[in-house]
């Protein structure tokens, strides 16, 4: 009887497997270029019975339900004629390869309801198709990306994901060498319609660097399908408390063999930061208050230039190079004062004035090679990257005390970084459903640091004369390798990988006679699996992550901040580790929900150690924190009408942390949340009005709290000259309520810190696009992990 039941079970299982019919194939253009993420679906009387998308090699595998009798096989992709083929169960082909034909003019509408296919989760990625979502046309790149669920802009229009601006950015799968303002303006210079899709990698797999928890955003641009010259020029003016301007341009040339790109920008402006630090200290005899007000006024002139060229050697091989030059000549002035009180009675006052020249130069470049087999089943990428950064800071700090006593501190600082790495990535498609990846990387970092102070009155310093000069040399070598495999089984997909790293560094200071070295080997596993059912998508992912100390943090340096604050390095600082998790859900490519978080130990904490005997603070980083941080995010777009778009996003977190470090011990929990609301209206005559607002509620941390902040921004823009000229104007942070405020309470010492930048800021921007065709970007320099720690 048992044998009969076993045979029956095997037969039933076999019949179910047999009943699961599949069709496979590859989608290409006429020039044999593969078409990635193209919708492939089968309909029967206007009902979609099966749906999938091609992967990044143009391959697809679509599963047909056992109830299928006949229908229409369709491949639909923007800019191409829709491919259709009638199929039936009687003569069902097991493989359909398609070559798409370009349309003479792009369609304004897509045949199927692509909005429901705009967002898919696959492996460690959430892929947002810009064309399918309908958010690219009429928007620049920055406006387009901010409409991707989970992403918003802060007061300075920097991209924020889950409350963090420390995001790694990639262009076409390679890390961008641009950062800060240069990166923002580069993205702004793009047309929204230039972007094919956005990949959000919240939980990077073993293929990527193991550093950081903020995630990766990969901007994939459409390939240029037309030969010729195109580009854009732009100019902008801003006014908050001071005037500033920015100009830039981008140039593209493309033919059958060459792709050449160049872009540059120039910025000239003055800004301001109002800083208030109030420290309340419980001392014998009452409360001591150190109340400090500073105004920081940087004047910046900066310029950057990028050049890249790609040569198609043959149909299987591509060679490219990219180089960047950046120059910044900043002048920083600080004015302020500090009052010291005991039981509300003024005890001392120190007036502060600082002025520093802080020029910076940067040169970076790479060479990149790619091989792709005819069948697109084998890929090999090899790249070498190089960068050199140099900064100089020269100036003085002047403190005026009571009774005509003063201290003048002249300072000189030189810092140089040299960074180089080589890496190789191999990808092999073992079958239509199974993919294998492997790679290796070797990186070298060298830092030379020199700092010198000269004081007219050393008795007023916190440190002995012998520490006024500091030299520091740092060398780091990092070798890593990874293996990773992914597979699809019907509605399920799974990805697993392992990254191994060997890290060795030496740090020395001849002046202070200190030498430090360390080495360690780490394993970083990653795992993700997803499930699709009709309009529902589920994804779970896990990865082990690392946070490495900044290079300078390992230096036993002393930096004189003001009359009551001294900053120092910590040669004993070690890496911090995270176990990071995420559970995500997407409904109809619209509602997006995520539960995410991480557990950590040896976490970096900025220690504020008040020296009671000498009446000043020492600040430094230490491996003091152990705890967890979990959050929940939700995003929902909504279109009340064809011309009105809304998006509401919400993010909240719960944190638990404790520290046992001497003079800075604490244990507690924290909670915070923020709400962002965006809406835009497309009006007649190519007018567009945009309003965005945010509210960040009062939040608590394990050792303090932050006050609530909120603000509203409003802008409008108009397209002219057949949409080649775009004029935009508006005002950001109209209510002037956007600021940073945090209060820390540890060991009977409360420190309240407020930073308020220029908030209400008016702007006018003009962008002119010329030429034809889409933009194809050359592979970017991959130095992001190393430069993040500078």
């Amino acid at each position: 009887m048992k044998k009969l039941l076993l045979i029956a079970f095997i037969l039933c299982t076999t019949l179910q497997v047999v009943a699961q019919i599949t069709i496979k194939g590859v989608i290409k253009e006429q020039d044999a270029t593969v078409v990635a993420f193209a919708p492939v679906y089968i309909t029967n009387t206007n009902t979609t019975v099966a749906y999938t998308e091609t992967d990044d090699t143009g391959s697809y595998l679509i599963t047909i339900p056992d109830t299928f009798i006949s229908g229409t096989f369709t491949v639909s992709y923007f800019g191409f004629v829709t491919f259709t083929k009638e199929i039936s169960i009687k003569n069902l082909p097991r493989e359909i390869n398609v070559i798409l034909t370009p349309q003479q003019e792009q369609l304004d509408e897509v045949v199927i309801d692509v909005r429901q296919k705009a967002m898919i989760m696959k492996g460690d990625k959430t892929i947002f198709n810009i064309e399918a979502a309908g958010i690219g046309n009429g928007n620049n790149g920055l406006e387009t990306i901010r409409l991707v669920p989970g992403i918003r802009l802060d007061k300075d229009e920097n991209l924020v994901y889950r409350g963090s601006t420390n995001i790694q950015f990639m262009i076409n799968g390679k890390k961008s060498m641009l950062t800060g303002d240069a990166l923002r303006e580069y993205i702004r210079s793009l047309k929204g319609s230039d972007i094919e899709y956005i990949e959000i990698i919240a939980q990077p797999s073993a293929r990527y660097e193991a550093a950081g928890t903020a995630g990766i955003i990969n901007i994939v641009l459409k390939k240029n399908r037309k030969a010729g010259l195109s580009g854009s020029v732009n100019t902008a003016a801003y006014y908050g408390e001071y005037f500033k301007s920015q100009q830039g341009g981008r140039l593209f040339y493309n033919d059958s063999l060459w792709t050449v790109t160049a872009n540059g920008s120039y910025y000239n402006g003055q800004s301001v930061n109002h800083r208030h630090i109030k420290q309340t200290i419980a001392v014998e005899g009452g409360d001591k208050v150190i109340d400090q007000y500073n105004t920081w006024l940087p004047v910046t002139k900066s310029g950057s230039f990028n050049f890249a060229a790609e040569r198609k050697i043959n149909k299987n091989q591509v060679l490219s190079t990219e180089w960047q030059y950046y120059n910044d000549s900043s002048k920083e002035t600080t004015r302020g004062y500090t009052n010291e009180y005991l039981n509300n009675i003024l005890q001392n006052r120190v007036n502060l004035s600082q002025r520093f020249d802080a020029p910076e130069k940067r040169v970076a470049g790479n060479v990149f090679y790619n091989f792709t087999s005819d069948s697109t089943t084998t890929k090999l990428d090899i790249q070498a990257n190089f960068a050199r950064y140099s900064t100089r800071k020269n100036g003085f700090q002047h403190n005026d005390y009571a009774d005509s006593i003063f201290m003048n501190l002249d300072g000189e600082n030189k810092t140089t970084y040299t960074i180089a790495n080589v890496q190789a990535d191999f990808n092999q498609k073992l079958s239509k459903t199974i993919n294998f990846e492997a790679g290796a990387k070797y990186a070298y970092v060298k830092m030379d640091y020199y700092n010198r102070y000269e004081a007219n009155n050393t008795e007023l310093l916190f440190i002995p004369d012998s520490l006024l000069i500091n030299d520091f040399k740092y060398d780091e070598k990092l070798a890593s390798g990874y293996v990773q495999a992914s597979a699809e089984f019907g509605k399920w997909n799974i990805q697993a990988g392992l990254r191994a790293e060997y890290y060795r560094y030496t740090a020395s200071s001849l002046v202070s006679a200190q030498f430090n070295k360390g080495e360690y080997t780490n394993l970083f596993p990653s795992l993700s699996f997803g499930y699709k059912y009709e309009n529902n998508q589920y994804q779970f992912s896990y990865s082990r992550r690392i946070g490495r100390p900044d290079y300078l943090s390992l230096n036993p340096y002393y930096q004189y901040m003001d009359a009551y604050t001294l900053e120092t390095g910590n040669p004993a600082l070690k890496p911090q580790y995270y176990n990071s998790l995420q559970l995500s859900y997407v409904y109809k490519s619209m509602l997006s929900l995520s539960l995410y978080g991480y557990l950590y130990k040896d976490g970096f904490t900025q220690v504020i150690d008040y020296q009671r005997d000498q009446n000043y603070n020492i600040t430094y980083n230490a491996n003091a924190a152990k705890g967890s941080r979990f959050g929940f995010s939700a995003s929902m777009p909504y279109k009340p009408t064809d011309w009105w778009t809304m998006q509401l996003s919400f993010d909240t977190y719960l944190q638990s942390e404790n520290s046992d470090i001497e003079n800075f011990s604490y244990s507690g929990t924290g909670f915070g949340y923020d709400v962002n609301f965006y809406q835009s209206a497309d009006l007649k005559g190519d007018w567009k009005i945009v309003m965005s607002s945010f509210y960040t509620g009062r939040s608590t941390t394990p050792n303090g709290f932050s006050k609530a902040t909120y603000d509203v921004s409003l802008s409008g823009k108009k397209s002219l000259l057949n949409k080649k000229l775009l004029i935009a104007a508006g005002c950001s942070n109209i209510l002037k309520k956007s600021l940073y405020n945090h209060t820390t309470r540890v060991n009977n010492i409360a420190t309240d810190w407020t930073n308020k930048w220029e908030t209400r800021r008016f702007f006018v921007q003009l962008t002119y696009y010329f030429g034809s065709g889409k933009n194809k970007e050359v592979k970017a320099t991959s130095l992001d992990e190393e430069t993040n720690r500078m």
Side-chain angles (χ1 to χ4, degrees), residues 79 110 201 269 312 423 576 710 749:
V110 181
I201 310 170
K312 188 174 182 180
Q423 70 180 73
Q576 56 184 350
Y710 55 91
I749 300 175

Side-chain angles (χ1 to χ4, degrees), residues 13-32:
T13 305
T14 305
L15 288 173
Q16 288 178 355
V17 173
V18 172
Q20 195 175 47
I21 307 168
T22 61
I23 300 176
K24 64 181 181 179
V26 178
I27 312 300
K28 295 183 179 181
E29 302 178 32
Q30 290 180 338
D31 63 357

Side-chain angles (χ1 to χ4, degrees), residues 534-767:
E534 295 182 348
N535 293 320
N536 304 280
Q537 300 180 63
Y538 305 87
Q539 182 191 66
F540 171 80
S541 57
Y542 161 82
S543 63
R544 185 171 187 252
R545 312 292 295 164
I546 188 174
R548 299 187 181 90
D550 296 339
Y551 306 119
L552 189 58
S553 296
L554 298 168
N555 178 12
Y557 73 99
Y558 288 91
Q559 184 170 349
Y560 197 92
M561 306 299 290
D562 54 58
Y564 289 87
T565 310
L566 184 69
E567 183 181 272
T568 182
N570 181 7
L573 204 60
K574 303 296 182 183
Q576 56 184 350
Y577 296 94
Y578 309 88
N579 285 294
S580 187
L581 308 120
Q582 176 179 273
L583 178 64
S584 298
Y585 170 72
V586 172
Y587 178 69
K588 286 189 175 181
S589 288
M590 297 179 67
L591 176 62
S592 174
L593 307 175
S594 289
L595 180 65
Y596 61 93
Y598 50 84
L599 308 170
Y600 57 94
K601 64 177 182 177
D602 299 328
F604 299 148
T605 296
Q606 185 179 23
V607 177
I608 304 174
D609 187 3
Y610 177 68
Q611 308 295 300
R612 293 179 179 271
D613 295 338
Q614 297 173 283
N615 194 30
Y616 74 94
N617 293 289
I618 294 179
T619 69
Y620 62 94
N621 287 323
N623 296 111
K626 179 181 180 181
S628 62
R629 189 182 192 277
F630 288 92
F632 172 76
S633 64
S635 181
M636 177 69 181
Y638 178 60
K639 286 181 73 71
T641 67
D642 291 338
W643 53 269
W644 189 5
T645 300
M646 297 181 180
Q647 181 153 305
L648 179 67
S649 60
F650 171 79
D651 193 271
T652 185
Y653 71 87
L654 178 65
Q655 183 177 10
S656 175
E657 185 174 278
N658 66 78
S659 167
D660 297 324
I661 194 167
E662 186 178 359
N663 297 327
F664 203 73
S665 61
Y666 60 86
S667 179
T669 59
F671 171 79
Y673 68 94
D674 63 74
V675 181
N676 292 270
F677 181 59
Y678 169 92
Q679 57 181 328
S680 65
D682 294 304
L683 307 178
K684 293 182 179 180
D686 288 327
W687 280 95
K688 185 170 188 173
I689 306 297
V690 175
M691 186 186 78
S692 62
S693 57
F694 76 91
Y695 180 84
T696 301
R698 185 184 186 276
S699 61
T700 58
T701 63
N703 60 6
F705 66 92
S706 296
K707 297 177 182 178
T709 59
Y710 55 91
D711 225 313
V712 176
S713 299
L714 182 67
S715 64
K717 60 182 180 180
K718 165 74 172 174
S719 296
L720 300 169
L721 304 179
N722 196 25
K723 297 186 178 182
K724 288 187 176 294
L725 177 64
L726 183 65
I727 302 174
C731 181
S732 59
N733 303 303
I734 297 172
L735 304 178
K736 301 182 72 172
K737 297 295 183 180
S738 178
L739 54 85
Y740 169 83
N741 172 264
H742 185 73
T743 299
T744 301
R745 291 176 174 172
V746 178
N747 291 350
N748 298 319
I749 300 175
T751 304
D752 182 84
W753 189 307
T754 300
N755 274 353
K756 188 172 184 179
W757 300 268
E758 287 181 286
T759 49
R760 183 185 297 158
R761 190 168 67 174
F762 299 91
F763 67 89
V764 178
Q765 300 167 345
L766 286 83
T767 305

Side-chain angles (χ1 to χ4, degrees), residues 396-413:
F396 68 88
Q397 176 174 313
H398 185 88
N399 292 338
D400 284 313
Y401 299 83
D403 301 325
S404 300
I405 297 175
F406 72 93
M407 183 189 72
N408 200 74
L409 192 67
D410 294 323
E412 176 189 13
N413 178 277

Side-chain angles (χ1 to χ4, degrees), residues 363-381:
V363 176
N366 82 333
V367 176
F368 178 88
Y369 168 82
N370 166 262
F371 169 81
T372 304
S373 65
D374 289 337
S375 61
T376 71
T377 57
T378 303
K379 284 187 176 182
L380 175 65
D381 292 342

Side-chain angles (χ1 to χ4, degrees), residues 133-431:
I135 62 174
N137 290 331
N139 289 325
N140 63 38
L142 202 62
E143 294 166 336
T144 299
I145 296 175
R146 75 174 298 171
L147 292 174
V148 175
I151 299 177
R152 64 177 178 87
L153 300 179
D154 68 5
K155 64 177 185 60
D156 295 317
E157 295 189 295
N158 296 308
L159 290 164
V160 179
Y161 181 63
R162 291 180 178 170
S164 175
T165 57
N166 190 29
I167 313 164
Q168 296 183 37
F169 278 90
M170 305 175 76
I171 309 294
N172 291 342
K174 298 299 174 184
K175 294 174 187 174
S176 172
M177 67 169 65
L178 299 174
T179 59
D181 294 345
L183 176 65
R184 181 190 62 235
E185 297 308 315
Y186 166 80
I187 297 174
R188 192 201 305 276
S189 70
L190 295 169
K191 289 182 179 180
S193 56
D194 292 338
I195 303 173
E196 187 167 359
Y197 55 90
I198 303 293
E199 292 180 344
I200 300 177
I201 310 170
Q203 291 282 102
S205 65
R207 186 184 191 281
Y208 303 98
E209 301 290 348
T213 60
I216 300 170
I217 294 178
N218 181 27
I219 303 171
V220 180
L221 303 176
K222 295 178 180 178
K223 293 183 178 180
N224 195 342
R225 310 190 190 284
K226 297 181 180 179
L229 186 68
S230 61
S232 66
V233 292
N234 61 82
T235 184
Y238 307 87
Y239 184 80
E241 296 182 47
Y242 297 93
F243 178 81
K244 48 190 70 68
S245 65
Q246 183 150 1
Q247 295 78 38
R250 307 175 69 236
L251 194 64
F252 310 89
Y253 172 78
N254 185 72
D255 61 26
S256 60
L257 295 177
W258 286 94
T259 296
V260 179
T261 70
N263 65 80
S265 65
Y266 175 77
Y267 172 85
N268 184 4
Q270 183 173 352
S271 187
V272 64
N273 176 273
H274 304 283
R275 186 178 72 169
H276 177 210
I277 303 174
K278 184 177 181 180
Q279 194 170 36
T280 304
I281 307 156
V283 297
E284 186 177 349
D287 288 334
K288 177 182 288 188
V289 174
I290 300 173
D291 202 10
Q292 181 183 98
Y293 291 87
N294 287 334
T295 300
W296 179 53
L297 295 161
V299 179
T300 303
K301 295 180 180 180
S302 64
S304 67
F305 178 75
N306 280 64
F307 175 81
E310 177 181 284
R311 175 64 157 83
K312 188 174 182 180
I313 302 173
N314 53 44
K315 65 178 181 178
N316 301 114
Q317 301 179 81
V318 172
L319 184 66
S320 67
T321 185
E322 180 188 14
W323 292 87
Q324 182 206 41
Y325 175 77
Y326 174 83
N327 185 67
D328 183 316
S329 57
S330 296
K331 299 181 183 298
E332 304 171 359
T333 302
T334 303
R335 300 186 183 92
Y337 62 89
T338 302
N339 290 332
E340 182 183 339
Y341 300 89
L342 181 62
N343 295 329
N344 296 322
I345 299 174
L346 183 65
Q347 304 293 309
N348 192 22
R349 180 184 175 98
V350 181
N351 293 317
L352 167 73
S353 62
Q354 288 181 344
R355 179 179 173 84
F356 288 97
D357 293 335
E360 176 185 345
K361 290 185 179 180
R362 180 167 68 238
V363 176
N366 82 333
V367 176
F368 178 88
Y369 168 82
N370 166 262
F371 169 81
T372 304
S373 65
D374 289 337
S375 61
T376 71
T377 57
T378 303
K379 284 187 176 182
L380 175 65
D381 292 342
I382 301 174
Q383 59 180 303
N385 304 279
F386 170 83
R388 183 176 176 83
Y389 302 79
S390 62
T391 62
R392 296 177 64 94
K393 193 171 184 178
N394 299 283
F396 68 88
Q397 176 174 313
H398 185 88
N399 292 338
D400 284 313
Y401 299 83
D403 301 325
S404 300
I405 297 175
F406 72 93
M407 183 189 72
N408 200 74
L409 192 67
D410 294 323
E412 176 189 13
N413 178 277
K414 302 176 184 177
T415 307
T416 302
Y417 295 91
T418 302
I419 301 172
N421 68 45
V422 292
Q423 70 180 73
D425 298 283
F426 174 77
N427 188 306
Q428 178 66 49
K429 210 165 181 60
L430 302 179
S431 69

